[in-house]
Amino acid sequence: DVQLVESGGGSVQAGGSLTLSCAASGFSISRRCMGWFRQTPGTEREGVARIGSRGPRYADSVTGRFTVSKDVAKNTLILQMNGLKSEDSAMYYCAARNLPGCNAWSGFNDWGQGTQVTVS
């Protein structure tokens, strides 16, 4: 079975850094487009970063501050977040895309349970 388990969330002051991890099982992340999304109560889930065979793509709001990468040896997706702002506070989800390519925020059907990030 496909399983995604996020970790690394927590509370941090504005300007600080956090590293989120997403351990995958049941498939190889090297073969799929992987993404990070976030959601706050009452809002729609938004794409933050995704990575496929042609490299990473980022939401405008995090470009230059966040870096997404794959640790293929550990089958783990990483999100390095620097320069955190209060507006980055959200539940962060890891997801795997079920469609070919990595050219959109849609088509992600396998999701983790999320990890909370709070920036004050």
Side-chain angles (χ1 to χ4, degrees), residues 67-86:
T67 302
V68 62
S69 61
K70 292 181 177 180
D71 185 336
V72 175
K74 295 182 179 180
N75 211 33
T76 297
L77 183 70
I78 307 294
L79 184 67
Q80 176 65 45
M81 306 186 294
N82 299 324
L84 284 162
K85 305 175 181 180
S86 57

Side-chain angles (χ1 to χ4, degrees), residues 5-22:
V5 179
E6 302 94 336
S7 62
S11 297
V12 64
Q13 290 187 339
S17 298
L18 280 175
T19 302
L20 304 185
S21 297
C22 172

Side-chain angles (χ1 to χ4, degrees), residues 6-79:
E6 302 94 336
S7 62
S11 297
V12 64
Q13 290 187 339
S17 298
L18 280 175
T19 302
L20 304 185
S21 297
C22 172
S25 59
F27 72 103
S28 173
I29 64 169
S30 65
R31 298 184 177 187
R32 292 176 69 178
C33 173
M34 300 294 296
W36 286 99
F37 294 76
R38 65 188 181 188
Q39 187 173 26
T40 55
T43 68
E44 292 188 359
R45 193 173 296 183
E46 65 169 346
V48 173
R50 65 182 190 263
I51 182 168
S53 60
R54 297 186 178 184
R57 294 292 185 270
Y58 300 95
D60 289 344
S61 59
V62 306
T63 296
R65 300 187 296 122
F66 290 12
T67 302
V68 62
S69 61
K70 292 181 177 180
D71 185 336
V72 175
K74 295 182 179 180
N75 211 33
T76 297
L77 183 70
I78 307 294
L79 184 67

